[in-house]
Amino acid sequence: MGGKVVFKEYDPDQLTFLPYKLEELVPSAHPVRIVKQVVDAVDVKPINRKYKGGGASSFHPRLMLKLVVYGYLTNTYSSRKLEEQAAQNVHFMWLLGMKKPDHNTINRFRSEKLSGILKQIFSQIVLLLQQEGIVSLKEAVFTDGTKIESASNRYTFVWGKSIKKSREKMKAQLDELWGYAQSIAAEELKDTAPLGYSEINPEKVKETIAKINAALEDKEDVDKKVKQKLNYAKKHWPENLTRYNEQEKLLAGRNSMSKTDPDATFMRMKEDHMLNGQLKPAYNLQISTQEQFILNYSLHQTSTDYGTLPSHIAEYEALYNEKPKAVVADAGYGSDENYGILQQKGIEAYIKYNTFDKEQKEGTKAFSNDSLYYNEQENYLVCPMGQRMQHIGDGHRATSSGFVQLTSRYRAQNCKGCPMRGVCHDGQGNRIVEINHSLRLHKQAAKERLNTEQGIKYRKRRAADVEPVFANLKHNHGFRRFLLKGISKTEVEIGLLSIAHNLRKWKA
């Protein structure tokens, strides 16, 4: 048999001679201390200006900022859970000096007081990191994007194409009604004309329906189906058009939006390790990192990455009055516009283009447009068989962002009987190619830059710098879906998440 079991003394009702100090219960190396230290060092005047004088006293902005930052650092995102932590968690109680804001106060502070100004606080913390020599705002940054789901309902959607089709269908039906009315009441409608597509608006449609009704009012043997359709049109079409107009304003050129969060756009989300996904209302988060610290973040309503870079870099410059030495990014950012903007700013673009990886493995295809020799002085191309391809004209093409590209067209002189025709050109007539010379030169420069010793280092480092940050935020800290709706509020959430990430890594 073993010896006698001895238990440690335990008496929950035991009184202590002196009450505990919260200071003694918080370890010296605990992350809550870095939150207090850093938030005490930043200037919160931008938040102070959001408060109006008079009325009841308010919790100090610095206290509230500590609460939400430490909440996001500890994966506590809900305002109700933050309220609970402030009342129950020793670390929160120490940080807040035993103050206990309720969830409504917390939510108003996060949604209203931090809206539009949190990035000023974020940038101050990045500058503190620079002072410590941890990051440099003048060195290369690594940029990438990910999509985060909106808090909206996934099934309340509006599609821009659907609105367009509904307008066209309404116009066709109105033309049918007008044609029918003309066939039996031409005299009554002789001084009016059917509506053009540009006139399909609530007022004009209502007016036209009224004219058709008036013209058919005294006519006998009017088709009952026509009367039913006119009654339906009178009751619903102007109202529907008003709704379409309002939705198009909210869409602001996008293809889709959520009814319950109009700022969110439907984007294809990667759901699992097999990259199977579905369309969900979401926002496109862009970050620039260095040593896995977030130096800049921006939120966008477009699903593609290439259109986000100009404003993302502009925000970086506005925040720090500095430009990074280089931007390192994957092929999703390799566009004529982005290469040109970075070149103008004097920023080195270590950005792949869409065929870069394939060319690295397989080389440039022999008959592709990029493989054709170009004589710049005389402005002609040379086909794979050595014939000149003459310049036959220029054209302009505008991208979705409004950027105008100049393209040049070239035509081979005689493809008939060419032994390479089957692999070079399978269309009728002589081969015609279209070249964007600006993009061609940018791609050549990017290829050379990416294959330098520095370029290879940056390419390897990109995957180990920016991508782990997204993995940390989404998988380690469970932030896959916003709690708030609207881009101004979701930007606050991303700002708090970015601050928390930097402080967590700083302490580590």
Side-chain angles (χ1 to χ4, degrees):
M1 294 181 65
K4 182 181 178 182
V5 178
V6 180
F7 294 105
K8 294 183 183 294
E9 186 177 341
Y10 168 65
D11 182 1
D13 298 320
Q14 175 71 46
L15 297 177
T16 56
F17 179 66
L18 292 173
Y20 286 113
K21 291 182 179 179
L22 289 177
E23 177 71 27
E24 297 172 354
L25 300 178
V26 180
S28 60
H30 198 278
V32 73
R33 291 190 180 273
I34 194 73
V35 171
K36 182 180 186 301
Q37 176 188 339
V38 171
V39 176
D40 280 340
V42 302
D43 182 5
V44 295
K45 287 190 182 72
I47 309 176
N48 293 351
R49 298 187 189 103
K50 289 284 191 95
Y51 288 83
K52 297 178 181 178
S57 60
S58 303
F59 289 102
H60 198 282
R62 201 179 297 276
L63 176 148
M64 296 299 297
L65 185 59
K66 290 176 182 176
L67 170 60
V68 292
V69 167
Y70 187 60
Y72 275 70
L73 189 144
T74 56
N75 307 341
T76 311
Y77 307 124
S78 159
S79 58
R80 289 184 183 275
K81 289 182 179 178
L82 286 170
E83 179 184 4
E84 288 178 7
Q85 293 288 67
Q88 300 171 8
N89 187 299
V90 169
H91 302 135
F92 277 89
M93 293 162 69
W94 172 82
L95 184 65
L96 305 180
M98 299 296 291
K99 297 294 189 294
K100 300 174 184 177
D102 63 31
H103 65 273
N104 287 324
T105 303
I106 296 168
N107 199 41
R108 281 196 301 272
F109 178 79
R110 179 172 56 182
S111 300
E112 300 171 12
K113 300 298 188 283
L114 294 182
S115 177
I117 53 89
L118 183 60
K119 212 159 191 185
Q120 297 176 46
I121 306 298
F122 166 82
S123 63
Q124 291 183 57
I125 295 172
V126 173
L127 289 170
L128 291 174
L129 288 168
Q130 181 178 240
Q131 288 175 18
E132 293 287 325
I134 298 171
V135 299
S136 171
L137 297 171
K138 296 181 180 181
E139 294 300 316
V141 296
F142 302 85
T143 300
D144 203 355
T146 192
K147 296 169 182 66
I148 299 180
E149 187 180 346
S150 164
S152 63
N153 188 312
R154 299 169 186 173
Y155 306 107
T156 56
F157 39 75
V158 174
W159 300 98
K161 289 182 180 178
S162 178
I163 292 175
K164 184 179 179 182
K165 286 181 180 178
S166 296
R167 286 182 184 276
E168 290 172 349
K169 184 178 178 181
M170 194 179 293
K171 172 70 167 64
Q173 291 179 338
L174 194 60
D175 286 344
E176 285 180 13
L177 291 170
W178 184 268
Y180 177 84
Q182 281 277 14
S183 69
I184 63 173
E187 185 64 26
E188 287 82 349
L189 297 173
K190 65 179 181 179
D191 295 327
T192 57
L195 292 181
Y197 185 78
S198 61
E199 295 178 297
I200 299 297
N201 60 63
E203 294 75 22
K204 287 285 187 180
V205 167
K206 189 175 182 179
E207 180 184 326
T208 301
I209 294 170
K211 287 179 180 178
I212 295 173
N213 270 323
L216 299 178
E217 187 175 7
D218 298 327
K219 301 296 179 183
E220 297 180 358
D221 300 326
V222 175
D223 192 325
K224 288 182 179 180
K225 289 184 178 180
V226 171
K227 286 185 176 181
Q228 289 173 351
K229 187 171 283 189
L230 279 168
N231 287 334
Y232 179 87
K234 181 180 179 181
K235 186 176 181 181
H236 296 287
W237 286 4
E239 181 184 331
N240 289 349
L241 284 168
T242 299
R243 185 174 72 253
Y244 296 156
N245 290 342
E246 291 171 354
Q247 289 173 342
E248 284 180 330
K249 286 180 183 178
L250 293 171
L251 281 166
R254 291 176 291 151
N255 294 325
S256 63
M257 73 174 189
S258 168
K259 289 181 182 177
T260 52
D261 183 3
D263 288 344
T265 305
F266 278 78
M267 305 179 186
R268 188 159 295 281
M269 308 285 287
K270 298 174 183 176
E271 293 296 307
D272 57 27
H273 63 284
M274 296 297 290
L275 304 186
N276 296 316
Q278 57 180 295
L279 289 173
K280 291 182 179 179
Y283 294 91
N284 187 352
L285 169 63
Q286 298 288 313
I287 62 171
S288 290
T289 66
Q290 190 181 99
E291 304 296 338
Q292 295 186 9
F293 285 92
I294 300 173
L295 304 189
N296 187 31
Y297 65 87
S298 59
L299 213 56
H300 304 265
Q301 295 170 282
T302 54
S303 59
T304 55
D305 288 335
Y306 68 87
T308 65
L309 192 63
S311 61
H312 184 76
I313 294 299
E315 284 188 27
Y316 186 101
E317 292 182 88
L319 277 179
Y320 306 115
N321 199 27
E322 292 279 4
K323 291 181 291 189
K325 174 184 177 183
V327 171
V328 186
D330 63 17
Y333 301 85
S335 71
D336 187 16
E337 180 179 11
N338 290 342
Y339 287 130
I341 286 173
L342 294 179
Q343 185 181 57
Q344 289 172 7
K345 292 179 179 293
I347 300 172
E348 295 175 5
Y350 290 88
I351 300 177
K352 297 177 183 178
Y353 47 90
N354 58 351
T355 58
F356 176 81
D357 287 330
K358 195 170 184 179
E359 287 176 11
Q360 292 294 105
K361 295 177 182 177
E362 304 172 8
T364 305
K365 289 187 177 181
F367 299 99
S368 69
N369 290 357
D370 289 337
S371 68
L372 302 177
Y373 171 77
Y374 175 62
N375 185 303
E376 188 172 358
Q377 289 183 334
E378 298 184 41
N379 191 20
Y380 65 83
L381 296 174
V382 178
C383 84
M385 290 299 291
Q387 290 190 52
R388 283 193 181 191
M389 301 181 73
Q390 299 297 334
H391 177 241
I392 58 173
D394 296 316
H396 296 84
R397 183 188 300 129
T399 66
S400 57
S401 66
F403 178 74
V404 178
Q405 297 176 317
L406 175 65
T407 57
S408 299
R409 301 176 78 230
Y410 300 84
R411 182 170 57 208
Q413 295 179 20
N414 184 18
C415 293
K416 188 176 181 180
C418 176
M420 296 292 183
R421 183 177 180 118
V423 289
C424 175
H425 170 55
D426 57 3
Q428 294 183 354
N430 295 327
R431 180 180 177 183
I432 296 176
V433 300
E434 192 171 84
I435 302 289
N436 178 342
H437 286 298
S438 172
L439 180 58
R440 177 181 60 82
L441 294 172
H442 284 315
K443 286 167 69 174
Q444 287 177 2
K447 186 174 184 178
E448 292 173 6
R449 198 178 295 119
L450 288 163
N451 282 316
T452 61
E453 185 179 348
Q454 181 66 72
I456 294 169
K457 286 181 180 178
Y458 279 153
R459 281 158 52 194
K460 290 179 179 178
R461 187 177 161 192
R462 188 198 70 81
D465 201 299
V466 64
E467 291 180 8
V469 175
F470 288 137
N472 189 41
L473 297 180
K474 283 187 164 185
H475 301 290
N476 296 346
H477 299 286
F479 197 92
R480 296 184 181 89
R481 194 167 188 251
F482 289 108
L483 274 72
L484 307 178
K485 297 176 183 177
I487 194 166
S488 64
K489 294 179 182 179
T490 49
E491 280 179 340
V492 169
E493 287 198 82
I494 287 301
L496 291 170
L497 203 65
S498 300
I499 291 171
H501 170 82
N502 285 350
L503 295 186
R504 191 187 294 116
K505 185 167 177 58
W506 192 354
K507 183 60 183 176

